[in-house]
Amino acid sequence: MSGTSQEPIGWIGCGVMGKSMCGHLLDAGHPVTVYSRTKSRADDLVARGAVWVDTPAEVAARANVVFTMVGFPSDVREVVLGERGTLVGARAGSILVDMTTSEPTLAQEISVAALARGLESIDAPVSGGDVGARNATLSIMIGGDAPAIERVRPLFEIMGKTIVRQGDAGAGQHAKMVNQVLIATLMIGVCEALLYAYRAGLDLETVLEAVSGGAAGSWSLTNYAPRMLKGDFEPGFFVEHFIKDMEIALGEARRMNLALPGLALAHELYLALRAQGGGRKGTQALLLALARLSDVTWEPRVSPATG
């Protein structure tokens, strides 16, 4: 496999991030075969030259490298290991790349099943949200055989900027859990800080200008706080998917006999947000659940100068 522009690619999953990621491969000149559970989500990609097929197995039959970017571990299991999954249709020598945030043990199970059929598999979850997907600046955390990863690296480089092998099968998923543990508690801090500033009557944009460049600065503060100020709680990453990630991490922590009370707290707060109807909002909507605890009605505060 050369990684040239003629490399036939398969893509499964056209959600908030997956559509942009697949679009970058199309723009780079790769022939792409696509499948999504909701066909209409792939319409734009098909209009740009992707070929639609009706099953994951058909995607795999037409591609040398098959990417999956779906929602939950159960979805990964269905599209890879199911009766019409990629494992059934893939040709010997092909590589299956799962970019979903999923379970390390499932990545290991897929690796064993793939090797038994003469295939390679890679777990390569990403961080960067919708912004990173659109701008091709994702961080990609990779588990799998090193030579296979190097064969796919030119494709990863089309979608992301930070591409690091973490170890064997499942290691990419473990690294993504580290990422999610960090984000979970950071989001509590961002939301609580903004609520404090809001109740204190400070100009929120001025506060952000002051703290973002100092020790308190973070990716979440830079990218999500401005959305909160505008009252924009649309998903760059769904709350319900983040809850799934935290539950995977908590399960792995229990298996390793680790106590992670900060993560457990974040999980409970996001469960409250989902119970309040926020499951399909973006993770920054945690602000709304925390505001409710203090009987704060959050109203967008954006100065006239910035709209």
Side-chain angles (χ1 to χ4, degrees):
M1 191 180 86
S2 63
T4 69
S5 62
Q6 300 304 310
E7 191 70 51
I9 304 302
W11 192 276
I12 298 169
C14 301
V16 171
M17 295 175 66
K19 182 185 293 186
S20 294
M21 294 162 69
C22 181
H24 294 313
L25 295 173
L26 272 172
D27 291 343
H30 292 277
V32 175
T33 303
V34 65
Y35 169 82
S36 182
R37 185 166 53 189
T38 303
K39 186 176 181 181
S40 60
R41 291 182 178 174
D43 286 348
D44 177 62
L45 295 171
V46 171
R48 293 164 59 187
V51 175
W52 169 269
V53 292
D54 292 323
T55 69
E58 292 176 79
V59 172
R62 296 171 57 98
N64 290 349
V65 182
V66 184
F67 293 93
T68 51
M69 184 65 171
V70 292
F72 294 87
S74 57
D75 300 321
V76 175
R77 182 174 293 279
E78 179 182 354
V79 301
V80 177
L81 300 175
E83 292 182 358
R84 299 189 299 171
T86 58
L87 202 63
V88 173
R91 304 183 295 245
S94 298
I95 301 179
L96 308 181
V97 184
D98 183 28
M99 305 192 80
T100 314
T101 299
S102 185
E103 297 163 344
T105 52
L106 179 55
Q108 293 163 354
E109 180 182 347
I110 290 171
S111 177
V112 171
L115 287 173
R117 296 181 66 93
L119 310 171
E120 297 276 5
S121 74
I122 295 170
D123 51 293
V126 302
S127 180
D130 60 330
V131 174
R134 287 196 304 270
N135 295 335
T137 56
L138 294 168
S139 176
I140 306 177
M141 294 152 268
I142 308 172
D145 181 66
I149 292 167
E150 289 307 307
R151 289 168 62 192
V152 180
R153 183 175 292 273
L155 303 177
F156 287 140
E157 290 174 345
I158 293 170
M159 296 179 282
K161 291 298 185 185
T162 304
I163 301 158
V164 183
R165 179 179 183 262
Q166 305 294 329
D168 293 332
Q173 297 295 353
H174 276 303
K176 182 59 186 289
M177 291 303 107
V178 174
N179 186 86
Q180 301 306 72
V181 171
L182 284 164
I183 290 174
T185 48
L186 279 170
M187 285 296 289
I188 294 175
V190 170
C191 294
E192 289 186 342
L194 288 179
L195 284 170
Y196 182 99
Y198 186 93
R199 179 58 67 83
L202 298 175
D203 181 278
L204 299 184
E205 291 178 296
T206 302
V207 170
L208 283 181
E209 182 182 358
V211 303
S212 295
S218 69
W219 190 97
S220 292
L221 187 68
T222 299
N223 288 274
Y224 284 130
R227 298 189 190 188
M228 298 177 194
L229 267 57
K230 295 176 183 177
D232 176 6
F233 299 106
E234 291 304 303
F237 186 60
F238 287 115
V239 164
E240 61 184 22
H241 289 172
F242 195 33
I243 290 172
K244 172 263 297 182
D245 295 353
M246 287 187 283
E247 289 174 349
I248 292 172
L250 287 167
E252 290 295 320
R254 285 192 294 271
R255 185 180 62 80
M256 294 185 287
N257 199 28
L258 283 176
L260 301 180
L263 178 62
L265 172 60
H267 179 243
E268 289 296 321
L269 291 171
Y270 272 102
L271 287 178
L273 175 58
R274 185 175 67 182
Q276 295 166 9
R280 298 293 288 178
K281 292 185 181 297
T283 52
Q284 71 274 21
L286 179 64
L287 179 74
L288 300 177
L290 290 172
R292 182 172 292 190
L293 288 177
S294 295
D295 195 27
V296 171
T297 300
W298 181 265
E299 296 179 355
R301 287 186 180 177
V302 178
S303 68
T306 59

